[in-house]
Amino acid sequence: THFKPFNTLFLESQSILEPKGKVITRRLSDMAELYQDQKSAQSLMDENPLVYEVFNVEVPESIEHIQHCITVLYPGKVGEEFFMTKGHYHEILNRAEIYFCFKGEGKLVMQTQDGDYEELDMKPGTISYVPPNWAHRTVNTGEEPFVFFAAYPGDAGHNYGDIEKIGFRKVIVNESGEVKTVDNPRYQL
Ligand code: 6PG
Ligand code: NI
Protein backbone atom coordinates (compact mmCIF):
# COMPACT_ATOMS: atom_id res chain seq x y z
CA THR A 1 0.00 0.00 0.00
CA HIS A 2 1.22 3.46 -0.89
CA PHE A 3 1.47 6.52 1.30
CA LYS A 4 -1.68 8.56 0.62
CA PRO A 5 -1.53 12.04 -0.96
CA PHE A 6 -2.81 14.87 1.19
CA ASN A 7 -3.21 18.64 1.30
CA THR A 8 -2.24 20.99 4.07
CA LEU A 9 -3.68 24.47 4.44
CA PHE A 10 -1.71 27.29 6.01
CA LEU A 11 -4.13 29.74 7.65
CA GLU A 12 -1.91 32.76 7.55
CA SER A 13 -4.09 35.12 9.57
CA GLN A 14 -4.02 32.68 12.51
CA SER A 15 -0.54 31.27 11.86
CA ILE A 16 -1.68 27.65 12.00
CA LEU A 17 -1.65 24.66 9.72
CA GLU A 18 -4.67 22.49 9.04
CA PRO A 19 -4.11 19.70 9.96
CA LYS A 20 -2.04 21.13 12.78
CA GLY A 21 1.21 19.19 12.26
CA LYS A 22 4.18 19.59 14.56
CA VAL A 23 4.81 23.08 15.92
CA ILE A 24 8.20 24.31 17.12
CA THR A 25 8.21 27.52 19.15
CA ARG A 26 11.41 29.43 19.80
CA ARG A 27 11.57 32.22 22.32
CA LEU A 28 14.55 34.39 23.06
CA SER A 29 15.48 32.16 26.01
CA ASP A 30 15.92 29.22 23.59
CA MET A 31 18.66 31.06 21.68
CA ALA A 32 19.84 34.11 23.64
CA GLU A 33 23.55 33.08 23.44
CA LEU A 34 23.45 33.41 19.65
CA TYR A 35 23.06 37.21 19.68
CA GLN A 36 25.98 39.61 19.82
CA ASP A 37 24.69 41.99 22.44
CA GLN A 38 24.41 39.84 25.55
CA LYS A 39 23.43 42.81 27.74
CA SER A 40 20.40 43.54 25.56
CA ALA A 41 19.57 39.83 25.40
CA GLN A 42 19.53 39.66 29.21
CA SER A 43 17.40 42.80 29.53
CA LEU A 44 14.78 41.25 27.20
CA MET A 45 14.72 37.98 29.11
CA ASP A 46 11.80 38.88 31.45
CA GLU A 47 9.65 39.63 28.46
CA ASN A 48 11.13 36.58 26.67
CA PRO A 49 9.65 37.44 23.24
CA LEU A 50 8.50 34.85 20.74
CA VAL A 51 11.12 34.95 17.96
CA TYR A 52 9.75 32.36 15.55
CA GLU A 53 7.48 29.39 15.04
CA VAL A 54 7.86 26.48 12.63
CA PHE A 55 4.77 24.59 11.48
CA ASN A 56 5.82 21.17 10.20
CA VAL A 57 3.71 18.95 8.03
CA GLU A 58 4.20 15.42 9.37
CA VAL A 59 5.96 13.26 6.83
CA PRO A 60 8.24 10.22 7.44
CA GLU A 61 11.90 11.12 7.92
CA SER A 62 13.24 9.03 5.07
CA ILE A 63 14.97 9.91 1.81
CA GLU A 64 12.01 9.13 -0.44
CA HIS A 65 9.84 11.73 1.33
CA ILE A 66 9.99 15.54 1.27
CA GLN A 67 9.75 17.41 4.58
CA HIS A 68 7.90 20.70 4.28
CA CYS A 69 7.02 23.44 6.70
CA ILE A 70 6.21 27.10 7.22
CA THR A 71 8.36 29.41 9.32
CA VAL A 72 6.92 32.60 10.82
CA LEU A 73 9.82 34.77 11.99
CA TYR A 74 8.61 37.76 13.99
CA PRO A 75 10.03 41.27 13.68
CA GLY A 76 12.29 42.51 16.46
CA LYS A 77 15.87 43.13 17.50
CA VAL A 78 18.27 42.18 20.24
CA GLY A 79 20.27 45.37 20.58
CA GLU A 80 20.80 46.30 16.92
CA GLU A 81 20.76 42.71 15.66
CA PHE A 82 17.59 41.54 13.91
CA PHE A 83 15.58 38.55 15.08
CA MET A 84 16.79 35.39 13.33
CA THR A 85 16.50 31.63 13.38
CA LYS A 86 19.10 29.50 15.19
CA GLY A 87 20.56 28.30 11.92
CA HIS A 88 21.84 24.82 11.14
CA TYR A 89 23.60 22.45 8.83
CA HIS A 90 21.55 19.47 7.88
CA GLU A 91 22.65 16.46 9.88
CA ILE A 92 23.20 14.74 6.56
CA LEU A 93 25.35 17.61 5.32
CA ASN A 94 24.66 17.31 1.62
CA ARG A 95 20.91 17.68 1.82
CA ALA A 96 19.68 20.77 -0.07
CA GLU A 97 16.63 22.91 0.63
CA ILE A 98 14.25 25.32 -1.10
CA TYR A 99 12.67 28.38 0.52
CA PHE A 100 9.71 30.24 -0.93
CA CYS A 101 8.90 33.58 0.68
CA PHE A 102 5.36 34.78 0.73
CA LYS A 103 5.27 37.53 3.31
CA GLY A 104 7.57 40.11 4.83
CA GLU A 105 11.24 40.55 4.03
CA GLY A 106 14.49 39.17 5.22
CA LYS A 107 17.84 37.66 4.48
CA LEU A 108 18.95 34.09 4.04
CA VAL A 109 22.52 33.76 5.30
CA MET A 110 24.54 30.70 4.39
CA GLN A 111 28.00 29.34 5.05
CA THR A 112 30.07 26.25 4.34
CA GLN A 113 32.42 24.40 6.64
CA ASP A 114 35.37 25.91 4.74
CA GLY A 115 34.13 29.38 5.71
CA ASP A 116 32.53 30.45 2.41
CA TYR A 117 29.73 32.90 3.10
CA GLU A 118 26.77 33.98 0.96
CA GLU A 119 23.57 35.87 1.60
CA LEU A 120 20.36 36.33 -0.38
CA ASP A 121 17.48 38.77 0.00
CA MET A 122 14.03 37.25 0.41
CA LYS A 123 10.74 39.01 -0.28
CA PRO A 124 7.30 37.79 -1.39
CA GLY A 125 7.79 35.63 -4.48
CA THR A 126 11.47 34.83 -3.95
CA ILE A 127 12.43 31.18 -4.42
CA SER A 128 15.81 30.56 -2.76
CA TYR A 129 17.98 27.53 -3.28
CA VAL A 130 20.21 26.33 -0.45
CA PRO A 131 22.58 23.88 -2.18
CA PRO A 132 24.01 20.79 -0.46
CA ASN A 133 26.54 21.50 2.35
CA TRP A 134 25.48 25.04 3.24
CA ALA A 135 24.40 26.00 6.77
CA HIS A 136 21.41 28.33 6.63
CA ARG A 137 19.77 30.96 8.81
CA THR A 138 17.01 33.48 8.09
CA VAL A 139 16.86 37.01 9.47
CA ASN A 140 13.78 39.27 9.61
CA THR A 141 14.98 42.69 8.44
CA GLY A 142 11.48 44.16 8.19
CA GLU A 143 8.70 45.31 10.44
CA GLU A 144 6.14 42.59 9.86
CA PRO A 145 6.25 38.81 10.25
CA PHE A 146 8.57 37.19 7.70
CA VAL A 147 6.84 34.05 6.41
CA PHE A 148 8.34 31.40 4.16
CA PHE A 149 7.74 27.84 3.07
CA ALA A 150 10.61 25.30 3.07
CA ALA A 151 11.02 21.86 1.49
CA TYR A 152 13.93 19.44 1.89
CA PRO A 153 14.73 15.70 1.73
CA GLY A 154 13.01 13.64 4.39
CA ASP A 155 16.14 12.25 5.98
CA ALA A 156 18.09 15.54 6.23
CA GLY A 157 17.86 16.14 9.98
CA HIS A 158 19.26 19.21 11.80
CA ASN A 159 22.69 19.91 13.24
CA TYR A 160 22.54 23.03 15.44
CA GLY A 161 25.73 22.40 17.43
CA ASP A 162 28.25 23.57 14.85
CA ILE A 163 26.58 26.95 14.37
CA GLU A 164 26.16 27.37 18.15
CA LYS A 165 29.92 26.82 18.51
CA ILE A 166 31.30 28.61 15.46
CA GLY A 167 28.61 31.13 14.50
CA PHE A 168 28.08 32.69 11.08
CA ARG A 169 30.83 34.91 9.70
CA LYS A 170 28.48 37.88 9.47
CA VAL A 171 25.61 39.32 11.45
CA ILE A 172 22.73 41.44 10.14
CA VAL A 173 22.16 44.64 12.08
CA ASN A 174 20.28 47.91 11.99
CA GLU A 175 22.73 50.81 11.58
CA SER A 176 20.95 54.18 11.79
CA GLY A 177 17.85 52.80 10.12
CA GLU A 178 19.70 50.79 7.46
CA VAL A 179 20.11 47.05 7.17
CA LYS A 180 23.83 46.25 7.30
CA THR A 181 25.88 43.06 7.10
CA VAL A 182 28.87 43.30 9.44
CA ASP A 183 31.63 40.93 10.57
CA ASN A 184 30.76 38.72 13.53
CA PRO A 185 33.52 39.33 16.09
CA ARG A 186 32.70 36.02 17.77
CA TYR A 187 33.01 33.90 14.61
CA GLN A 188 35.71 31.28 14.99
CA LEU A 189 36.52 28.81 12.27
C1 6PG B 1 14.65 23.06 7.97
C2 6PG B 1 14.48 24.43 7.42
C3 6PG B 1 13.58 25.39 8.20
C4 6PG B 1 14.14 25.81 9.55
C5 6PG B 1 13.31 26.86 10.25
C6 6PG B 1 13.82 27.26 11.64
O1 6PG B 1 15.68 22.44 7.68
O2 6PG B 1 13.75 22.54 8.66
O3 6PG B 1 15.72 24.99 7.18
O4 6PG B 1 12.31 24.82 8.38
O5 6PG B 1 14.26 24.69 10.38
O6 6PG B 1 13.25 28.02 9.46
O7 6PG B 1 15.20 27.44 11.66
P1 6PG B 1 16.14 26.60 12.65
O8 6PG B 1 15.85 25.15 12.35
O9 6PG B 1 17.52 26.97 12.27
O10 6PG B 1 15.77 26.94 14.04
NI1 NI C 1 17.27 23.36 6.83
Side-chain angles (χ1 to χ4, degrees):
T1 73
H2 295 291
F3 196 89
K4 286 261 200 305
F6 64 94
N7 267 342
T8 305
L9 188 62
F10 179 57
L11 303 170
E12 200 193 303
S13 56
Q14 302 163 55
S15 282
I16 51 166
L17 286 185
E18 230 179 52
K20 191 162 174 286
K22 199 177 116 231
V23 184
I24 295 168
T25 299
R26 301 243 207 255
R27 295 189 169 273
L28 182 60
S29 58
D30 298 314
M31 56 179 309
E33 325 71 51
L34 296 177
Y35 291 93
Q36 292 306 304
D37 183 344
Q38 283 299 303
K39 234 177 114 188
S40 295
Q42 283 315 313
S43 69
L44 283 169
M45 217 50 125
D46 282 344
E47 184 189 335
N48 198 13
L50 180 59
V51 181
Y52 60 102
E53 292 170 286
V54 186
F55 303 92
N56 288 286
V57 176
E58 289 186 278
V59 161
E61 290 180 7
S62 54
I63 184 63
E64 61 277 25
H65 284 277
I66 299 175
Q67 298 292 334
H68 52 295
C69 58
I70 295 269
T71 302
V72 179
L73 175 52
Y74 292 98
K77 289 191 298 260
V78 177
E80 292 307 319
E81 191 175 5
F82 292 105
F83 276 10
M84 61 189 183
T85 56
K86 289 180 75 167
H88 58 270
Y89 287 98
H90 287 147
E91 199 173 313
I92 301 182
L93 187 61
N94 67 6
R95 295 303 192 246
E97 182 152 1
I98 292 167
Y99 282 177
F100 173 68
C101 175
F102 64 98
K103 197 166 179 233
E105 58 187 293
K107 284 195 184 284
L108 169 55
V109 306
M110 289 161 286
Q111 156 174 313
T112 67
Q113 290 181 326
D114 316 322
D116 285 348
Y117 176 89
E118 290 286 331
E119 70 183 50
L120 296 171
D121 290 319
M122 290 173 67
K123 61 180 187 195
T126 308
I127 301 168
S128 305
Y129 187 51
V130 181
N133 309 311
W134 289 80
H136 40 289
R137 161 182 288 164
T138 45
V139 183
N140 186 341
T141 55
E143 279 160 15
E144 60 173 323
F146 173 36
V147 183
F148 58 91
F149 173 83
Y152 56 99
D155 64 342
H158 299 87
N159 161 9
Y160 293 102
D162 288 2
I163 291 299
E164 280 165 6
K165 254 183 283 159
I166 294 159
F168 279 86
R169 241 168 69 186
K170 309 273 181 183
V171 294
I172 314 294
V173 296
N174 166 58
E175 221 177 80
S176 346
E178 300 213 2
V179 178
K180 284 265 156 66
T181 301
V182 300
D183 285 338
N184 173 4
R186 299 196 302 173
Y187 170 72
Q188 37 178 314
L189 185 59

